[in-house]
Amino acid sequence: MELVHYLGALRALSATSQEGADAVAFPDRPLDAVWIPREVREIDALARSAPPGDEDTPGLPLDGIVLHGAGRSVVLIGPPCSGRTSICTHYASLLAERALDGDAEAPVPLLVNALDVPAQGDFAATAEAITDAAVTRSGIGVYGGTARTLLRGSLDRAFLFVDGVEDVPLHGHASSDNWSPRTVLQTLAQLHVHYRNLRVLVAISDSSWFSAECARARDVSAYFLRPPKQRDLENYITGWFTA
């Protein structure tokens, strides 16, 4: 029952306004009424970024890479206000809804901010910090204690969404000296050894902070998040007034 409360809280996040909604002065609008739908967003592989302003060069589908890509760890690089946090929230909410609807294949979503997960020295401490942060993020209160235990037992079939990694040193985190591209990649590799079915999406804004390390990592796929195409934005905004 506690896991149901946890999943229900994540599912409800899909209707919660995020930073992008506030930026366009619609704080009470659902995410899908503000952000352009994820299905029209595209990404580029790290080694192949489309030239600026070149909207006609085909990109890769965001939905397909996140949900059905072969990589166990995906790094999504996008500038501030490009929708990275909202994308993490969207997919965590979507997977929670699938699990609640009885989809046995749906991974258990864990949505965390790196500021809430100190760098740890071993996988057990890291796993505990991740589940603690995910339950705290869900805001389920009195149901959290049992949910933490259940989530730790579900890490081998989980999907972890991590946002704000590069913000840790900027905020004077107690473990900020330990968070670096290399440490993050080592942590991901360590988790994958112990949880072979765990998938991870790391959303960052500073490509120089992570991309060089990502390019050398065999188990990590890195992508740049493209801005929405102008014609898609125009069509979507037009739809607000014609719906």
Side-chain angles (χ1 to χ4, degrees), residues 27-122:
D28 298 322
R29 292 281 188 92
L31 277 178
D32 289 340
V34 177
W35 284 106
I36 191 166
R38 259 66 51 176
E39 58 266 22
V40 302
R41 299 297 300 268
E42 294 179 342
I43 55 181
D44 287 304
L46 183 65
R48 178 192 166 278
S49 178
D54 185 2
E55 294 189 345
D56 295 325
T57 303
L60 302 170
L62 173 64
D63 216 53
I65 295 297
V66 172
L67 294 179
H68 309 295
R72 295 177 61 195
S73 290
V74 173
V75 172
L76 186 61
I77 304 168
C81 298
S82 62
R84 292 171 295 111
T85 299
S86 294
I87 285 170
C88 289
T89 303
H90 167 74
Y91 285 116
S93 175
L94 175 64
L95 293 177
E97 182 173 10
R98 290 183 180 178
L100 288 170
D101 287 343
D103 183 354
E105 300 298 320
V108 177
L110 300 127
L111 180 64
V112 304
N113 189 292
L115 286 167
D116 300 321
V117 183
Q120 303 291 333
D122 62 87

Side-chain angles (χ1 to χ4, degrees), residues 6-228:
Y6 168 78
L7 293 172
L10 286 189
R11 178 174 61 181
L13 291 176
S14 64
T16 302
S17 296
Q18 300 292 316
E19 56 195 359
D22 296 332
V24 293
F26 289 117
D28 298 322
R29 292 281 188 92
L31 277 178
D32 289 340
V34 177
W35 284 106
I36 191 166
R38 259 66 51 176
E39 58 266 22
V40 302
R41 299 297 300 268
E42 294 179 342
I43 55 181
D44 287 304
L46 183 65
R48 178 192 166 278
S49 178
D54 185 2
E55 294 189 345
D56 295 325
T57 303
L60 302 170
L62 173 64
D63 216 53
I65 295 297
V66 172
L67 294 179
H68 309 295
R72 295 177 61 195
S73 290
V74 173
V75 172
L76 186 61
I77 304 168
C81 298
S82 62
R84 292 171 295 111
T85 299
S86 294
I87 285 170
C88 289
T89 303
H90 167 74
Y91 285 116
S93 175
L94 175 64
L95 293 177
E97 182 173 10
R98 290 183 180 178
L100 288 170
D101 287 343
D103 183 354
E105 300 298 320
V108 177
L110 300 127
L111 180 64
V112 304
N113 189 292
L115 286 167
D116 300 321
V117 183
Q120 303 291 333
D122 62 87
F123 86 95
T126 301
E128 183 173 353
I130 287 170
T131 52
D132 285 352
V135 171
T136 300
R137 174 70 177 81
S138 71
I140 60 174
V142 296
Y143 301 103
T146 306
R148 286 179 174 87
T149 301
L150 293 172
L151 287 178
R152 286 171 197 152
S154 302
L155 277 172
D156 196 44
R157 59 181 187 89
F159 199 132
L160 173 62
F161 299 90
V162 185
D163 192 19
V165 175
E166 75 278 9
D167 293 335
V168 173
L170 302 179
H171 288 77
H173 194 284
S175 300
S176 61
D177 291 341
N178 294 326
W179 277 126
S180 66
R182 179 169 298 176
T183 302
V184 173
L185 292 171
Q186 289 174 342
T187 299
L188 293 178
Q190 188 181 57
L191 288 171
H192 285 154
V193 167
H194 296 277
Y195 305 107
R196 295 189 176 276
N197 296 310
L198 174 69
R199 295 194 64 200
V200 184
L201 171 65
V202 178
I204 64 172
S205 63
D206 185 357
S207 61
S208 65
W209 191 88
F210 214 151
S211 59
E213 296 285 347
C214 283
R216 293 193 293 269
R218 290 183 296 177
D219 295 332
V220 176
S221 301
Y223 301 92
F224 288 106
L225 178 63
R226 282 190 178 192

